[in-house]
């Protein structure tokens, strides 16, 4: 599986190629499709990381509440 950093770098290269405008229709379409897949991959990875961070934060909040709240 590709890492977030690798996907981001590959996406940057694709955007750069498309912005130059020196690719034909077929290659441009293929690059656009690949870029879209990379965007989906990055978005999914970010959502997954966000979920993990939320779980960790909630666990930490509970620990702090259990150990440091007035009883």
């Amino acid at each position: 599986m590709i890492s977030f950093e690798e996907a981001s770098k590959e996406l940057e290269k694709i955007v750069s190629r498309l912005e130059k405008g020196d690719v034909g229709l077929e290659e441009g379409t293929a690059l656009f499709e690949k870029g879209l897949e990379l965007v989906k991959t990055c978005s999914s990875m970010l959502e997954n990381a966000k979920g993990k961070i939320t779980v960790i934060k909630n666990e930490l909040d509970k620990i702090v509440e259990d150990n440091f709240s007035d009883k």
Side-chain angles (χ1 to χ4, degrees):
M1 177 164 203
I2 191 169
S3 72
F4 179 82
E5 291 77 12
E6 292 169 333
S8 294
K9 285 180 183 178
E10 191 171 341
L11 184 56
E12 286 177 26
K13 289 178 186 176
I14 289 172
V15 169
S16 178
R17 292 271 327 271
L18 291 172
E19 286 179 339
K20 286 182 183 178
D22 63 351
V23 296
L25 180 61
E26 288 183 25
E27 184 181 5
T29 301
L31 286 170
F32 186 83
E33 288 174 341
K34 177 66 176 173
L36 183 57
E37 288 302 315
L38 289 167
V39 167
K40 289 177 183 178
T41 297
C42 288
S43 178
S44 175
M45 289 177 173
L46 288 172
E47 283 300 314
N48 187 20
K50 180 180 174 183
K52 288 179 181 180
I53 290 169
T54 300
V55 168
I56 292 168
K57 182 188 177 301
N58 290 341
E59 289 176 5
L60 180 59
D61 289 346
K62 175 133 178 57
I63 291 169
V64 169
E65 182 179 317
D66 290 347
N67 290 305
F68 299 105
S69 66
D70 292 335
K71 295 183 179 183

